């Protein structure tokens, strides 16, 4: 078997991870880590400032920081199914993050940003599920007696990421050979 020269090695690596792919990967990982770090730091603060004593902090007339353990998924759905929320949801979230990573070179910029936000948020909530078997929620918006379900930075990142992703789908022109509606 012939030896692979140094230049052949570099060429092989370049083919596996092209310059745009490397840039997309770097940006994706940076955004993922930024969301994950801010989410975990904010949850650490919430655990010590809110959850430890059951405190609530009134920030504005429409925003409180309130300790809420969420054993379910969005809006508490599936809370009565710990096998699903404890194992299936985290596994699915990790698979989504991997899938998003491998889709990067097929996405437009806004969708790549959305992918990084979704991935960081998903992993932030996976960490909570692995640590506590539930998610730390504490951001509580309310207006005129109506409360939005409590959420966290990971949830916000996922929501904004999905909106960015969908916007990217809506503004991307269809190619002439595209048969998908």
């Amino acid at each position: 078997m012939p030896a692979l020269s140094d230049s052949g090695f570099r060429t092989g690596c370049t083919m596996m991870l092209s310059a745009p792919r490397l840039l997309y990967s770097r940006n994706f990982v940076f955004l993922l880590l930024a969301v994950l770090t801010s989410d975990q730091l904010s949850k650490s603060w919430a655990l010590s400032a809110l959850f430890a004593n059951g405190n609530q902090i009134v920030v504005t007339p429409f925003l409180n920081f309130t300790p809420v353990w969420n054993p379910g998924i969005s809006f508490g759905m599936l809370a009565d199914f710990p096998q699903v929320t404890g194992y299936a949801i985290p596994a699915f979230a990790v698979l989504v993050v991997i899938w998003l990573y491998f889709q990067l070179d097929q996405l437009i910029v806004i969708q790549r940003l959305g992918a990084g936000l979704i991935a960081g948020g998903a992993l932030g909530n996976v960490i909570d599920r692995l640590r506590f078997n539930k998610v730390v929620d504490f951001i509580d918006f309310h207006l005129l007696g109506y409360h939005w379900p409590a959420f966290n930075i990971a949830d916000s990142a996922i929501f904004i990421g999905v909106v960015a992703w969908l916007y990217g789908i809506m503004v991307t022109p269809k190619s002439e050979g595209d048969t998908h509606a």
Side-chain angles (χ1 to χ4, degrees):
M1 187 160 127
L4 186 60
S5 70
D6 184 44
S7 63
F9 176 75
R10 274 189 251 129
T11 303
C13 288
T14 304
M15 289 189 310
M16 290 186 319
L17 196 60
S18 66
R21 178 87 164 130
L22 181 61
L23 178 63
Y24 302 158
S25 298
R26 189 178 316 144
N27 292 343
F28 174 82
V29 170
F30 175 79
L31 193 52
L32 180 156
L33 290 175
V35 168
L36 184 61
T37 300
S38 61
D39 176 64
Q40 290 299 299
L41 287 174
S42 68
K43 288 173 179 174
S44 178
W45 170 81
L47 286 168
S48 64
L50 305 173
F51 285 78
N53 304 325
N55 292 337
Q56 178 184 56
I57 298 173
V58 177
V59 180
T60 68
F62 56 86
L63 172 66
N64 300 332
F65 292 148
T66 305
V68 176
W69 286 111
N70 183 357
I73 57 172
S74 298
F75 311 115
M77 292 185 299
L78 300 177
D80 295 332
F81 299 96
Q83 304 83 354
V84 173
T85 59
Y87 304 108
I89 297 297
F92 178 72
V94 170
L95 290 174
V96 167
V97 170
I98 293 167
W99 180 82
L100 287 170
Y101 176 80
F102 285 107
Q103 296 300 307
L104 291 175
D105 56 354
Q106 299 175 30
L107 303 175
I108 63 172
V109 172
I110 190 81
Q111 289 176 303
R112 288 193 297 269
L113 292 172
L117 291 170
I118 293 166
L123 293 179
N125 285 339
V126 164
I127 289 171
D128 285 7
R129 292 199 184 281
L130 295 176
R131 288 179 66 197
F132 310 114
N133 206 27
K134 48 194 161 195
V135 174
V136 175
D137 286 336
F138 63 95
I139 302 171
D140 175 26
F141 274 110
H142 54 92
L143 188 61
L144 303 173
Y146 296 101
H147 279 259
W148 187 257
F151 58 97
N152 57 47
I153 289 177
D155 298 335
S156 299
I158 293 168
F159 176 78
I160 294 166
V162 168
V163 169
W165 185 284
L166 293 174
Y167 177 78
I169 290 171
M170 291 187 298
V171 300
T172 303
K174 300 277 187 217
S175 64
E176 288 183 28
D178 189 358
T179 58
H180 295 84

